[in-house]
Amino acid sequence: MTCKTVSEIVARCQDLYEDLSFTSARDWKKAEPGRKVIGYMPIYVPRELIHAAGMLPLGIMGGGDNLEVIHGDAYYQSYICRIPRSTIELGVSGRLDFVDGMLFPSICDVIRNLSGMWKTMFPHVYSKYFDVPQTYKDEIGGAFYTGEMREFLHDLEEIAGRKISDDDIRASIEVYNDNRRAIGELYALRAEKPWLAPASEAYLIVRAGLVLPVEEHTLLVRDYVAAAADQVVPPKDNSRVILTGMFCEQPPLNLIKSLELSGCYIVDDDFVLVSRWLIGDVPTEGDPVHNLSQAFLHRSMSTAAKYEPNQAEKGQFLVRAVRQSGAEGVIFASTSFCDPALLDRPILQNVLKRADIPFIAFKYAENSGQMQPIREQAGTFVDSIKLWSAA
């Protein structure tokens, strides 16, 4: 399906976003005998390895605000985030019955527990808690992470019934390098002219990459960037802000739209971090697994769910993002009960205070329904930015 206008591309991506039966991924699997689909939870997994095995990596970001959680609430206490409950609901309702494996990356204790629960509930489906290094020395954390990936590769070979060569991995690394470059072009357009590529549209474009083959998604991103850049849209007197804290449980689309309606141009964010986790191209020369390990250790995004080896650097990534994007303020939007985000936030706020960067904070859930208080809070923040800048 070829979409060329902005409205056509966005409409297609919204359909993919709202499809909780994952029809696109199901169709991909049915198209050829023997195809496999490996699901993964948010943050980061090395999708290159899944792709090298000839499988489709499928991003599972919970059920969003269109899924009624009935069974999932029986498995968890009330005082945690919603994403594990809605993911359980996706599983027990049969919406993920076509998935051949599930990965649970190292995000927090809740996701760690979800991985064990998944093994108990679906014992005949491959599942793995995918751990990442907490020591960033090459000979310690690097060796550990390389070992984790090689163990995962062995599991993928068992599922695929074939050997995965280094050349297979190199080819997949190049494909994902190109995808990251395309998403970088999208974010660059947003930062320069956010009225042409609003965050609510860009979010849908990036989210589509969770369910589409990566090659198809790269073309879709570039089609959108080309179509959006050709639009004639007058800019508004909005304030440029960075939205952060949404690295795991994703926001409802209406929350992003509400922030835009309040007068915000969201010029950077931490949505769907798996798509931008590795910064720059991963080299394809030499040992490709080692190269992926080195990229994770030394050229990856900073976020609350990732160990920060240099505490003096803590929060400086956010200050640099503000400077690079031309943002005028930061909005901390954290999921209710998200320990990594909520424990990190005071540290980051202190860094922003020292840098004289204004900020506000609120909490949300993936099924948040009442947006008016958030819109009013953001609108007040925008007005304050205008007053401060004029003073």
Side-chain angles (χ1 to χ4, degrees):
M1 179 180 180
T2 302
C3 304
K4 291 300 182 183
T5 69
V6 167
S7 59
E8 289 174 340
I9 297 169
V10 172
R12 184 192 177 203
C13 292
Q14 180 142 4
D15 287 343
L16 293 171
Y17 167 78
E18 293 174 350
D19 181 11
L20 294 180
S21 294
F22 304 100
T23 306
S24 174
R26 288 178 184 272
D27 290 346
W28 179 90
K29 183 175 181 177
K30 291 177 184 176
E32 290 185 18
R35 280 184 167 180
K36 307 290 184 182
V37 176
I38 303 294
Y40 62 89
M41 295 293 289
I43 297 287
Y44 167 79
V45 296
R47 296 182 296 173
E48 293 87 345
L49 303 185
I50 303 171
H51 181 272
M55 303 176 189
L56 178 70
L58 176 67
I60 308 297
M61 302 278 159
D65 56 352
N66 290 325
L67 179 69
E68 182 181 6
V69 174
I70 300 172
H71 305 286
D73 282 337
Y75 291 84
Y76 279 102
Q77 65 271 37
S78 60
Y79 49 89
I80 62 166
C81 57
R82 187 175 185 266
I83 188 171
R85 293 196 285 271
S86 65
T87 302
I88 289 287
E89 191 72 28
L90 291 172
V92 298
S93 62
R95 291 177 170 89
L96 296 174
D97 58 4
F98 69 103
V99 171
D100 300 283
M102 279 288 289
L103 298 181
F104 300 87
S106 178
I107 305 173
C108 63
D109 289 342
V110 171
I111 301 303
R112 180 191 295 271
N113 293 338
L114 179 60
S115 71
M117 192 174 296
W118 203 267
K119 287 182 180 180
T120 301
M121 296 174 64
F122 308 104
H124 303 298
V125 177
Y126 171 79
S127 65
K128 177 179 176 62
Y129 178 75
F130 192 82
D131 212 347
V132 294
Q134 300 299 312
T135 299
Y136 278 43
K137 295 180 179 178
D138 291 346
E139 66 276 14
I140 302 174
F144 165 81
Y145 187 48
T146 299
E148 281 289 295
M149 285 191 286
R150 293 208 179 279
E151 180 181 301
F152 180 45
L153 274 172
H154 177 267
D155 294 345
L156 290 174
E157 288 174 340
E158 290 286 318
I159 297 170
R162 70 172 180 86
K163 185 73 175 174
I164 302 169
S165 70
D166 282 354
D167 284 341
D168 291 333
I169 302 172
R170 291 187 188 101
S172 294
I173 287 174
E174 183 49 51
V175 167
Y176 275 95
N177 281 344
D178 194 35
N179 186 256
R180 283 186 286 269
R181 287 193 292 265
I183 292 173
E185 294 160 15
L186 170 58
Y187 269 74
L189 176 63
R190 264 183 63 199
E192 182 183 1
K193 298 178 180 179
W195 54 92
L196 295 182
S200 52
E201 291 184 2
Y203 175 64
L204 290 172
I205 302 302
V206 176
R207 276 283 298 245
L210 300 178
V211 299
L212 294 176
V214 60
E215 299 87 348
E216 182 180 347
H217 182 244
T218 300
L219 293 174
L220 182 147
V221 173
R222 290 206 165 107
D223 283 346
Y224 173 81
V225 170
D230 282 345
Q231 296 179 110
V232 179
V233 179
K236 298 178 181 178
D237 187 27
N238 287 1
S239 292
R240 300 166 62 90
V241 302
I242 287 179
L243 191 57
T244 187
M246 298 176 163
F247 49 82
C248 181
E249 184 175 310
Q250 297 297 292
L253 185 59
N254 280 338
L255 191 156
I256 303 172
K257 291 181 177 180
S258 293
L259 292 175
E260 291 177 324
L261 288 171
S262 73
C264 294
Y265 278 140
I266 303 169
V267 294
D268 201 358
D269 57 65
D270 56 0
F271 305 146
V272 197
L273 274 188
V274 68
S275 302
R276 298 181 294 130
W277 187 269
L278 302 182
I279 300 170
D281 286 355
V282 178
T284 53
E285 303 81 12
D287 182 348
V289 177
H290 175 74
N291 291 343
L292 286 170
S293 176
Q294 288 292 295
F296 182 93
L297 292 182
H298 306 301
R299 298 184 303 281
S300 59
M301 297 285 283
S302 294
T303 183
K306 174 186 165 188
Y307 171 70
E308 190 73 67
N310 181 2
Q311 288 301 303
E313 179 66 12
K314 188 75 173 178
Q316 294 305 316
F317 76 93
L318 196 51
V319 174
R320 287 194 293 271
V322 169
R323 307 302 187 211
Q324 291 167 4
S325 65
E328 301 166 275
V330 173
I331 296 178
F332 290 95
S334 305
T335 309
S336 295
F337 302 109
C338 179
D339 286 347
L342 295 175
L343 290 171
D344 231 31
R345 196 173 75 193
I347 302 171
L348 301 181
Q349 288 176 336
N350 286 334
V351 171
L352 294 184
K353 284 179 183 177
R354 291 194 293 269
D356 198 27
I357 297 170
F359 60 85
I360 61 166
F362 62 80
K363 291 184 286 186
Y364 72 94
E366 64 176 4
N367 65 332
S368 297
Q370 178 53 265
M371 295 299 168
Q372 189 60 28
I374 290 175
R375 183 174 173 179
E376 290 174 355
Q377 185 179 0
T380 303
F381 180 57
V382 166
D383 291 342
S384 299
I385 288 176
K386 295 297 183 185
L387 290 172
W388 292 336
S389 62

